Amino acid sequence: MYKETKTQKVTRLAIIASLYVVLTVVFSFMSYGDIQVRIAEVLVLLCFFRKDYAIGLVIGCILSNLFSPFGIIDVVIGSIATTLALIGVMHSKRLWIACLWPVLANAILIGLEISYIDNIPFYLPMITVGIGETIAMIVGYFIMNNLRKNKAFMKLIGANQNK
């Protein structure tokens, strides 16, 4: 089996972090705010296939949230939400279950964050963030479910789990 060098690993994780940042910032009109569909969240499903992608995704989330109109609180709370979601994704046995963790983590934590910042009832942002994250995860599910059948893609991402 092919052994990845440290330089290759760091490069791969930097690319993942960069992709997350670019997708979030390019689509910033729908990545931040009370109602959000963060397209970059599709990338969290990569951890279903290879757990160490979590490092690049957390770094990407931290960097992306530096651009958030919610400020430093979004860097902290958003990164915690992503970390919790990734832990769930990494330990899921089925892809559709992996999709549930980002929805739950973001709906609850980002919902609490927005509720606090905007001084509105928790259930409102929980619902809007939950719907946005559900949209991202439905798209992600179909993308990843199709891509995992592609041997070239699985080799490209260095998938080391046979799921």
Side-chain angles (χ1 to χ4, degrees), residues 44-49 51 54 80-105 137 161 163:
V44 303
L45 296 177
L46 289 172
C47 288
F48 180 76
F49 304 105
K51 294 176 182 178
I80 291 169
T82 295
T83 300
L84 292 174
L86 289 167
I87 290 168
V89 169
M90 291 186 299
H91 291 94
S92 296
K93 300 294 182 201
R94 303 224 184 273
L95 184 58
W96 71 269
I97 293 172
C99 293
L100 298 176
W101 294 106
V103 174
L104 292 172
M137 287 299 102
Q161 297 177 8
K163 292 188 178 182

Short mmCIF file of all heavy atoms in Angstrom, two decimals, residues 44-49 51 54 80-105 137 161 163:
data_model
loop_
_atom_site.label_atom_id
_atom_site.label_comp_id
_atom_site.label_asym_id
_atom_site.label_seq_id
_atom_site.Cartn_x
_atom_site.Cartn_y
_atom_site.Cartn_z
N VAL A 44 -17.48 18.11 4.70
CA VAL A 44 -17.36 17.38 5.97
C VAL A 44 -17.60 15.89 5.77
O VAL A 44 -17.11 15.06 6.53
CB VAL A 44 -18.25 17.94 7.10
CG1 VAL A 44 -17.96 19.40 7.37
CG2 VAL A 44 -19.71 17.71 6.85
N LEU A 45 -18.33 15.55 4.71
CA LEU A 45 -18.60 14.13 4.45
C LEU A 45 -17.36 13.38 3.98
O LEU A 45 -17.36 12.15 3.98
CB LEU A 45 -19.75 14.00 3.46
CG LEU A 45 -21.10 14.52 3.97
CD1 LEU A 45 -22.15 14.42 2.89
CD2 LEU A 45 -21.53 13.82 5.24
N LEU A 46 -16.31 14.10 3.62
CA LEU A 46 -15.05 13.43 3.28
C LEU A 46 -14.52 12.64 4.48
O LEU A 46 -13.85 11.61 4.31
CB LEU A 46 -14.00 14.44 2.82
CG LEU A 46 -14.23 15.07 1.45
CD1 LEU A 46 -13.23 16.20 1.22
CD2 LEU A 46 -14.15 14.03 0.34
N CYS A 47 -14.83 13.09 5.68
CA CYS A 47 -14.37 12.40 6.89
C CYS A 47 -15.04 11.04 7.07
O CYS A 47 -14.57 10.22 7.85
CB CYS A 47 -14.60 13.26 8.12
SG CYS A 47 -13.47 14.64 8.19
N PHE A 48 -16.10 10.80 6.36
CA PHE A 48 -16.72 9.48 6.37
C PHE A 48 -15.76 8.46 5.74
O PHE A 48 -15.74 7.30 6.13
CB PHE A 48 -18.04 9.53 5.60
CG PHE A 48 -18.77 8.21 5.55
CD1 PHE A 48 -19.45 7.75 6.65
CD2 PHE A 48 -18.79 7.45 4.39
CE1 PHE A 48 -20.14 6.54 6.62
CE2 PHE A 48 -19.47 6.25 4.34
CZ PHE A 48 -20.15 5.79 5.45
N PHE A 49 -14.98 8.93 4.78
CA PHE A 49 -14.05 8.06 4.06
C PHE A 49 -12.63 8.11 4.60
O PHE A 49 -11.88 7.15 4.46
CB PHE A 49 -14.03 8.45 2.57
CG PHE A 49 -15.39 8.40 1.94
CD1 PHE A 49 -16.08 9.56 1.65
CD2 PHE A 49 -15.99 7.19 1.65
CE1 PHE A 49 -17.34 9.52 1.08
CE2 PHE A 49 -17.26 7.13 1.09
CZ PHE A 49 -17.93 8.31 0.80
N LYS A 51 -10.71 9.89 8.04
CA LYS A 51 -10.89 10.68 9.26
C LYS A 51 -9.96 11.88 9.37
O LYS A 51 -10.34 12.90 9.92
CB LYS A 51 -10.73 9.78 10.49
CG LYS A 51 -11.83 8.75 10.58
CD LYS A 51 -11.62 7.81 11.73
CE LYS A 51 -12.74 6.78 11.73
NZ LYS A 51 -12.62 5.80 12.76
N ALA A 54 -10.56 15.81 8.89
CA ALA A 54 -11.14 16.68 9.91
C ALA A 54 -10.22 17.84 10.26
O ALA A 54 -10.69 18.96 10.48
CB ALA A 54 -11.47 15.87 11.17
N ILE A 80 -16.57 24.88 16.98
CA ILE A 80 -17.00 23.82 17.89
C ILE A 80 -18.09 22.98 17.22
O ILE A 80 -18.06 21.74 17.28
CB ILE A 80 -17.50 24.40 19.23
CG1 ILE A 80 -16.33 25.00 20.01
CG2 ILE A 80 -18.21 23.34 20.07
CD1 ILE A 80 -16.73 25.83 21.21
N ALA A 81 -19.04 23.63 16.56
CA ALA A 81 -20.11 22.91 15.86
C ALA A 81 -19.53 21.99 14.78
O ALA A 81 -19.93 20.82 14.68
CB ALA A 81 -21.10 23.90 15.24
N THR A 82 -18.58 22.51 14.01
CA THR A 82 -17.96 21.69 12.96
C THR A 82 -17.19 20.52 13.56
O THR A 82 -17.28 19.40 13.06
CB THR A 82 -17.04 22.57 12.08
OG1 THR A 82 -17.86 23.52 11.39
CG2 THR A 82 -16.28 21.73 11.07
N THR A 83 -16.47 20.76 14.64
CA THR A 83 -15.72 19.69 15.30
C THR A 83 -16.65 18.59 15.79
O THR A 83 -16.39 17.40 15.56
CB THR A 83 -14.87 20.25 16.46
OG1 THR A 83 -13.97 21.23 15.94
CG2 THR A 83 -14.09 19.15 17.16
N LEU A 84 -17.73 18.97 16.44
CA LEU A 84 -18.69 17.96 16.93
C LEU A 84 -19.33 17.20 15.76
O LEU A 84 -19.49 15.98 15.83
CB LEU A 84 -19.77 18.62 17.78
CG LEU A 84 -19.28 19.20 19.12
CD1 LEU A 84 -20.40 19.95 19.82
CD2 LEU A 84 -18.72 18.10 20.01
N ALA A 85 -19.67 17.92 14.70
CA ALA A 85 -20.24 17.27 13.52
C ALA A 85 -19.25 16.27 12.92
O ALA A 85 -19.63 15.15 12.57
CB ALA A 85 -20.63 18.32 12.48
N LEU A 86 -17.99 16.66 12.84
CA LEU A 86 -16.96 15.79 12.27
C LEU A 86 -16.76 14.53 13.10
O LEU A 86 -16.56 13.44 12.56
CB LEU A 86 -15.65 16.54 12.11
CG LEU A 86 -15.65 17.60 11.00
CD1 LEU A 86 -14.43 18.51 11.13
CD2 LEU A 86 -15.71 16.95 9.64
N ILE A 87 -16.82 14.66 14.40
CA ILE A 87 -16.70 13.48 15.27
C ILE A 87 -17.83 12.50 14.95
O ILE A 87 -17.60 11.29 14.83
CB ILE A 87 -16.70 13.89 16.76
CG1 ILE A 87 -15.39 14.63 17.09
CG2 ILE A 87 -16.87 12.67 17.67
CD1 ILE A 87 -15.39 15.33 18.44
N GLY A 88 -19.04 13.02 14.80
CA GLY A 88 -20.16 12.15 14.44
C GLY A 88 -19.99 11.52 13.07
O GLY A 88 -20.23 10.32 12.90
N VAL A 89 -19.56 12.32 12.10
CA VAL A 89 -19.36 11.81 10.74
C VAL A 89 -18.31 10.69 10.74
O VAL A 89 -18.51 9.64 10.13
CB VAL A 89 -18.93 12.95 9.77
CG1 VAL A 89 -18.46 12.40 8.43
CG2 VAL A 89 -20.07 13.94 9.57
N MET A 90 -17.21 10.91 11.44
CA MET A 90 -16.12 9.93 11.46
C MET A 90 -16.53 8.60 12.07
O MET A 90 -15.98 7.56 11.72
CB MET A 90 -14.92 10.48 12.23
CG MET A 90 -14.22 11.61 11.54
SD MET A 90 -12.71 12.17 12.35
CE MET A 90 -13.29 12.72 13.93
N HIS A 91 -17.49 8.63 12.97
CA HIS A 91 -17.89 7.40 13.66
C HIS A 91 -19.17 6.77 13.10
O HIS A 91 -19.64 5.77 13.62
CB HIS A 91 -18.02 7.67 15.15
CG HIS A 91 -16.70 7.94 15.79
ND1 HIS A 91 -16.20 9.21 15.95
CD2 HIS A 91 -15.74 7.10 16.25
CE1 HIS A 91 -15.01 9.14 16.51
NE2 HIS A 91 -14.71 7.87 16.69
N SER A 92 -19.70 7.35 12.06
CA SER A 92 -20.92 6.82 11.44
C SER A 92 -20.60 5.62 10.57
O SER A 92 -19.56 5.57 9.91
CB SER A 92 -21.60 7.90 10.59
OG SER A 92 -22.03 8.96 11.41
N LYS A 93 -21.51 4.68 10.56
CA LYS A 93 -21.34 3.47 9.75
C LYS A 93 -22.05 3.59 8.39
O LYS A 93 -21.76 2.83 7.48
CB LYS A 93 -21.88 2.24 10.49
CG LYS A 93 -21.19 1.98 11.81
CD LYS A 93 -19.74 1.61 11.62
CE LYS A 93 -19.11 1.31 12.96
NZ LYS A 93 -17.67 1.41 12.94
N ARG A 94 -22.97 4.52 8.29
CA ARG A 94 -23.70 4.74 7.04
C ARG A 94 -23.62 6.21 6.66
O ARG A 94 -23.68 7.08 7.53
CB ARG A 94 -25.17 4.33 7.20
CG ARG A 94 -25.36 2.89 7.65
CD ARG A 94 -26.45 2.25 6.84
NE ARG A 94 -26.74 0.90 7.27
CZ ARG A 94 -26.11 -0.18 6.83
NH1 ARG A 94 -25.14 -0.07 5.98
NH2 ARG A 94 -26.45 -1.38 7.26
N LEU A 95 -23.54 6.46 5.36
CA LEU A 95 -23.40 7.83 4.87
C LEU A 95 -24.59 8.70 5.26
O LEU A 95 -24.42 9.86 5.65
CB LEU A 95 -23.18 7.84 3.36
CG LEU A 95 -22.92 9.19 2.71
CD1 LEU A 95 -21.69 9.86 3.31
CD2 LEU A 95 -22.75 9.03 1.20
N TRP A 96 -25.79 8.16 5.18
CA TRP A 96 -26.97 8.97 5.51
C TRP A 96 -26.98 9.36 6.98
O TRP A 96 -27.43 10.45 7.35
CB TRP A 96 -28.27 8.30 5.08
CG TRP A 96 -28.67 7.10 5.88
CD1 TRP A 96 -28.36 5.80 5.64
CD2 TRP A 96 -29.49 7.10 7.07
NE1 TRP A 96 -28.91 4.98 6.60
CE2 TRP A 96 -29.61 5.75 7.49
CE3 TRP A 96 -30.11 8.09 7.81
CZ2 TRP A 96 -30.33 5.38 8.62
CZ3 TRP A 96 -30.83 7.72 8.94
CH2 TRP A 96 -30.93 6.37 9.32
N ILE A 97 -26.45 8.50 7.84
CA ILE A 97 -26.33 8.85 9.26
C ILE A 97 -25.27 9.92 9.45
O ILE A 97 -25.44 10.84 10.25
CB ILE A 97 -26.04 7.59 10.11
CG1 ILE A 97 -27.26 6.67 10.08
CG2 ILE A 97 -25.69 7.98 11.55
CD1 ILE A 97 -27.05 5.32 10.71
N ALA A 98 -24.18 9.82 8.70
CA ALA A 98 -23.12 10.84 8.76
C ALA A 98 -23.68 12.21 8.42
O ALA A 98 -23.24 13.22 8.99
CB ALA A 98 -21.99 10.47 7.81
N CYS A 99 -24.65 12.26 7.54
CA CYS A 99 -25.27 13.54 7.14
C CYS A 99 -26.08 14.18 8.27
O CYS A 99 -26.29 15.41 8.25
CB CYS A 99 -26.17 13.34 5.93
SG CYS A 99 -25.29 12.89 4.42
N LEU A 100 -26.52 13.41 9.22
CA LEU A 100 -27.33 13.95 10.31
C LEU A 100 -26.52 14.79 11.30
O LEU A 100 -27.03 15.76 11.85
CB LEU A 100 -28.03 12.82 11.07
CG LEU A 100 -29.01 11.97 10.27
CD1 LEU A 100 -29.55 10.83 11.14
CD2 LEU A 100 -30.14 12.82 9.72
N TRP A 101 -25.25 14.41 11.52
CA TRP A 101 -24.44 15.09 12.54
C TRP A 101 -24.22 16.57 12.25
O TRP A 101 -24.38 17.40 13.16
CB TRP A 101 -23.12 14.36 12.73
CG TRP A 101 -23.33 13.00 13.31
CD1 TRP A 101 -23.22 11.80 12.67
CD2 TRP A 101 -23.76 12.69 14.64
NE1 TRP A 101 -23.54 10.77 13.52
CE2 TRP A 101 -23.87 11.30 14.74
CE3 TRP A 101 -24.06 13.47 15.76
CZ2 TRP A 101 -24.26 10.66 15.91
CZ3 TRP A 101 -24.45 12.83 16.93
CH2 TRP A 101 -24.54 11.44 16.99
N PRO A 102 -23.86 16.96 11.02
CA PRO A 102 -23.71 18.40 10.76
C PRO A 102 -25.02 19.17 10.93
O PRO A 102 -25.01 20.32 11.40
CB PRO A 102 -23.22 18.46 9.30
CG PRO A 102 -22.61 17.12 9.06
CD PRO A 102 -23.41 16.15 9.88
N VAL A 103 -26.13 18.54 10.57
CA VAL A 103 -27.43 19.20 10.73
C VAL A 103 -27.69 19.46 12.22
O VAL A 103 -28.02 20.58 12.61
CB VAL A 103 -28.58 18.38 10.10
CG1 VAL A 103 -29.93 18.99 10.42
CG2 VAL A 103 -28.38 18.23 8.60
N LEU A 104 -27.53 18.44 13.03
CA LEU A 104 -27.79 18.58 14.47
C LEU A 104 -26.84 19.57 15.13
O LEU A 104 -27.28 20.47 15.86
CB LEU A 104 -27.69 17.21 15.15
CG LEU A 104 -28.76 16.20 14.80
CD1 LEU A 104 -28.44 14.83 15.38
CD2 LEU A 104 -30.12 16.68 15.28
N ALA A 105 -25.54 19.42 14.89
CA ALA A 105 -24.55 20.28 15.54
C ALA A 105 -24.75 21.74 15.17
O ALA A 105 -24.73 22.63 16.03
CB ALA A 105 -23.13 19.82 15.19
N MET A 137 -26.56 18.96 3.25
CA MET A 137 -26.28 17.54 3.46
C MET A 137 -27.00 16.65 2.44
O MET A 137 -26.47 15.61 2.05
CB MET A 137 -26.64 17.12 4.89
CG MET A 137 -25.68 17.65 5.93
SD MET A 137 -23.97 17.06 5.71
CE MET A 137 -23.22 18.49 4.96
N GLN A 161 -11.10 3.76 4.29
CA GLN A 161 -12.18 3.01 4.95
C GLN A 161 -13.05 2.44 3.86
O GLN A 161 -13.44 3.12 2.94
CB GLN A 161 -13.00 3.94 5.84
CG GLN A 161 -12.20 4.53 6.97
CD GLN A 161 -13.05 5.49 7.77
OE1 GLN A 161 -14.25 5.60 7.59
NE2 GLN A 161 -12.43 6.20 8.68
N LYS A 163 -16.29 1.75 3.06
CA LYS A 163 -17.68 1.97 3.46
C LYS A 163 -18.55 2.08 2.24
O LYS A 163 -18.22 2.56 1.24
CB LYS A 163 -17.80 3.25 4.29
CG LYS A 163 -17.12 3.11 5.62
CD LYS A 163 -17.42 4.30 6.48
CE LYS A 163 -16.78 4.14 7.84
NZ LYS A 163 -17.06 5.21 8.74
#
